[in-house]
Amino acid sequence: MPTEVIVRIRSPRGIVDLPGTVDAVGPAASAAFQERKSTPGIRLLAVNDNDYAISLQAPVPAADLAALREREGRAVLIVFPGRTPVRRRLQAVAVSTVEVEPDQGVASQAAPLDLNGGREGAAPLWLLPVGVFSASPTLAPEGIAARDALVTAARWISSRRTSTFTQLFPPSAFHPEEPLRKERLSAGRGMAVLEQARAALAAAAVGGDEARRDPTSAATLRSAALTILSHLIATSLDDRSFAPVAERAAEEIFALIDKEAGDEAARPALRAHAIQLLQLRAPGLTADQQERARGLVRGLLREAPPYDELTGPWNFAVCSGSEFHEGECRILVSTHGFKEIALPPGAPPSPSGWSPYRAFEAPFKTPAGEPIRVFARTATPRDENLEMGMKFFVGLLINRHAQLGSFDLRAAAVKVSQEGYKLMMNSQCAGLTTRFAISQVFPDADIYSSWDSTYFRVGADGMVSSSEGLDCFVAALRGMSERAPHAALDERIRKAQWHHPQAQVPGFSQFVGPSHPLVVARYSDVNRDGRADYYDGFLDFQLTEIAEDMEGSMTPRDPGVSASQISGEAAAGLNWAAGSLNRVAQYSDIWAGLAGHSELYYVFQSGGFFSHREPPHDVPIGDAVRQDLGRLPAVTRYQKTSDALGGLSVDVMFHSHLSHAAQELKRLLCAADAMRRAFDLGYLTGGEALSTPRGQRCAMLLTMAGLLEFPADQNFIDGLWSMALKALRLPQISRTTVRACITEEDHEMSNYYGSRRGLGQLLAALEKSDPVTFEQLGTEDPLVGRLAEIELGAGERPVG
């Protein structure tokens, strides 16, 4: 019986596997190849220390055959089932009267392609043979008439992260039995798609009649066209025949950026988004275009505080937690040379009403020779931001504990309108996890958010004796006194910061400010749709605010809009869930097993909402049981990428029909899916306990118990716990039993969301005191501990 084999090559579309059989091995291989090369079929001779004569199975796609011929004389991989691949040089390729499978995407697309076919309730989307999108299989719309088709196409594009127009139908994660579809977009038809997008941009242009008549609809169409142009550029990285298309698409985006300003119908958010997409697609741009894009990115940022506008004395507030305030006042004097002074004339009273200001003057002056003063007071999350609304102050330092992030959201809920320029520094634990909330409240401020925990020391008297946050704040003030731009302020902060594990990353700064656009953009959500802007393929302007409903959190409801249109409390809750996951990963040594120390680098970002009508694509699932991803409450998409610190990037997504779920429940379900999927993919490992189903499920319980440690009614928290266990098909284990395994010892080691030590304690406690639950957690049923697919249709009711 012939030996089955796979010949693996690299093509413009990626890795291609060509199945075949081995005809002869070793010295007989060359003779066997010569004997068969004139007979019908594709014959290969692969040589090295042990030669192989191989016959490929027919039919072979035309593009794959062309790629195979290009490999002649070069290395290929020979893969035998169950064995490590071996490398051989492809010495000869012989093709004789062979059936070649036509490439449906390039030469023979004679019929319209239904891109959303088979999805119940999905908006119609067709790719016509002429190479344009349409909402019908027969009409080729242009200009404003193409709006519905292009918006649907933009949402279709945003559901995927790695597949481009070279693969219109990526493999199904939950239907592996379905054959792979080969359709793709040719470069010629890509040019037709570009022309359709260009015509739509012209019809909906800023200053045009349509933009005057319906500004929001026109902006949405321009945004959809931008998404499609960006995807054409991305396709050129997979298929270099798209290079001319990509170059023209980039020019259209540059033109959009130029026009998206200076008019009441313009959308600054769309202009900024276009610049970020160009930055993201930089490898697909020409060298000249890359340089132009870099210049635009620099223009998005305020390069320096507006020094010319900052006249008179500079007054800064320091609002600290009660345990920090007195010690920091001492540090200002003893360490940094400040002098305590009486409150100067015109100084406002402390807005808290219960903690008066103490004033300190810096040993350095403003560029104009005026004093620089610090007004320190004790603050709580409910009043710490009030100075942002007082013109008297130029900036504000907040220094306190994060209380696992709950203090941040409490502070962001206080309504304060920024008055005048403000530099804001947040000194706490993992401040980037909630930066999105602060930046939405104060979008015009120059914000410096803490990356890792901000350190301090306590003296023998119990007071803070040294403070990293204060050291970095004073470093920034000294830089401002010399009119330093933000890049120079960042450099000063890095010199003042203390040691952190992330210091191995070149350019790491404990306080991430405006000079870090790549990092900041991942945690900004300017249109508040629950999707981080940097990865937001489609910036939807037709948004609907969805409120949270605690009691109905697990009852599916049709939001009545597309997943990309969800905003309000629902979207803020998803942003919060993604931020919480970054906090979980940093503060639990169970998560320290993530590949490349990714847990240190904020790898989780909000990926927005999805539905069964617009399911997420390109989601690696490893050896997991196959489930319909479009019907899971939460899905996390792990991607290995060299661009991300730590090598991983993870999109956190949530089902739109549960968008009304309470943010606390979103946190639990997203964290559970993230941990389960990390186990499935082999990204989360560590020790014997985590290699078993029981250990993995108990680790998930510890993570969820840690997420529920926030000030609230215990009955409320127990209700959330019970909901999450039911959604995960886990036994109704006592939350008290689990939380008892996160001890003060764990807290001292910064393991707030469970530890390996605590995992051992939980396993031992359950085996001894609750053997029934212990056995249930060890079941071989792969569905236990995985989110159950939600029931849609029966019992589902619309929002409103």
Side-chain angles (χ1 to χ4, degrees), residues 487-536:
L489 294 181
D490 175 75
E491 180 64 28
R492 287 176 178 267
I493 288 172
R494 279 191 277 134
K495 289 180 179 178
Q497 70 193 25
W498 298 6
H499 175 72
H500 293 262
Q502 296 91 337
Q504 59 187 310
V505 179
F508 163 76
S509 181
Q510 167 59 4
F511 289 93
V512 176
S515 60
H516 286 74
L518 285 177
V519 177
V520 172
R522 287 178 56 195
Y523 312 108
S524 299
D525 180 12
V526 297
N527 69 330
R528 306 187 187 191
D529 65 350
R531 189 190 298 260
D533 296 328
Y534 189 64
Y535 296 114
D536 196 347

Side-chain angles (χ1 to χ4, degrees), residues 441-492:
V441 177
F442 306 115
D444 296 325
D446 284 337
I447 299 174
Y448 282 80
S449 296
S450 53
W451 179 310
D452 190 22
S453 295
T454 307
Y455 302 137
F456 61 93
R457 298 186 185 95
V458 177
D461 59 359
M463 288 190 182
V464 172
S465 59
S466 55
S467 165
E468 181 185 22
L470 204 56
D471 291 350
C472 292
F473 184 63
V474 173
L477 297 188
R478 286 187 176 274
M480 290 181 69
S481 73
E482 300 174 11
R483 296 180 64 95
H486 283 296
L489 294 181
D490 175 75
E491 180 64 28
R492 287 176 178 267

